[in-house]
Amino acid sequence: EAQVTQNPRYLITVTGKKLTVTCSQNMNHEYMSWYRQDPGLGLRQIYYSMNVEVTDKGDVPEGYKVSRKEKRNFPLILESPSPNQTSLYFCASSLQGSTGELFFGEGSRLTVL
Amino acid sequence: QKEVEQDPGPLSVPEGAIVSLNCTYSNSAFQYFMWYRQYSRKGPELLMYTYSSGNKEDGRFTAQVDKSSKYISLFIRDSQPSDSATYLCAMSPSNYQLIWGAGTKLIIKP
């Protein structure tokens, strides 16, 4: 089954404790992206990757890091989480950039205390 | 002012009604227009895709783009309770950047 898998789905952590949200897709997509979704603000892009070893900042990259060492994986790293990073995070992938059909994961709800 | 404006709702209509969902935008460079549907506790899924202006129909769904007015619409005919979800518009000037509306929550009452 074609899918984007994110883990963990739910996480409560404390300020400053490094965490990684994993994302994996099995569709051989070149494009992958991370979004955060907050009430009233919609989806905002954090980082995206056009291919292996190629990443670029989206609209709200501050406080986040990404890497793309393999085509299928695109982890999101919060080096020192802060409460303003409490949000619902989505990973997405596409065959042809952001204007192709984006396939989203189920979301990761992160709470930073 | 946001680049893409979308009324958050909620919009509540009876089953069988025609639903009209809309977004306005300010950037005349937008060429790609999409509607995504998001059920509660799920990721968004692509519903409709339009390039440049015009209409596109798929079953009970019709997407319209009016670039002269910077206005896009999604119509749902014969609405069903299973259409209850949040509808997100998204648009892009290029292949790398996608700008999203905040989403409209739609409730179809049986």
Side-chain angles (χ1 to χ4, degrees), chain A residues 9-10 31 35 37 40-45 48 50 59 88 90 96-107, chain B residues 2 8 32 34 36 38 41-46 49 86 88 91-103:
Chain A
R9 294 287 314 280
Y10 301 91
Y31 180 88
Y35 291 92
Q37 187 174 37
L41 297 178
L43 285 165
R44 293 181 291 168
Q45 191 177 48
Y48 65 93
M50 295 302 296
D59 300 315
L88 179 59
F90 286 102
Q96 52 182 83
S98 62
T99 55
E101 180 175 4
L102 283 168
F103 292 83
F104 283 83
E106 299 260 281
Chain B
K2 295 178 184 177
Y32 303 88
M34 284 144 273
Y36 280 77
Q38 185 177 19
R41 304 189 205 289
K42 297 287 186 183
E45 55 182 353
L46 182 65
Y49 175 102
T86 296
L88 302 156
M91 47 198 82
S92 175
S94 69
N95 203 25
Y96 306 127
Q97 180 191 25
L98 198 60
I99 310 299
W100 295 81

Side-chain angles (χ1 to χ4, degrees), chain B residues 21-38:
Chain B
L21 302 166
N22 311 294
C23 288
T24 59
Y25 62 94
S26 57
N27 188 343
S28 58
F30 288 148
Q31 294 286 346
Y32 303 88
F33 303 92
M34 284 144 273
W35 286 94
Y36 280 77
R37 178 175 61 194
Q38 185 177 19

Side-chain angles (χ1 to χ4, degrees), chain A residues 21-73:
Chain A
V21 186
T22 64
C23 174
S24 181
Q25 51 93 5
N26 62 1
M27 295 168 279
N28 202 35
H29 286 167
E30 293 189 346
Y31 180 88
M32 296 186 73
S33 181
W34 275 103
Y35 291 92
R36 60 178 290 173
Q37 187 174 37
D38 302 288
L41 297 178
L43 285 165
R44 293 181 291 168
Q45 191 177 48
I46 302 170
Y47 270 95
Y48 65 93
S49 170
M50 295 302 296
N51 213 328
V52 176
E53 303 291 0
V54 180
T55 63
D56 210 344
K57 296 177 180 178
D59 300 315
V60 288
E62 296 78 21
Y64 304 95
K65 284 176 59 178
V66 293
S67 68
R68 187 92 182 273
K69 292 184 170 51
E70 305 166 279
K71 198 172 189 178
R72 62 183 294 125
N73 295 324

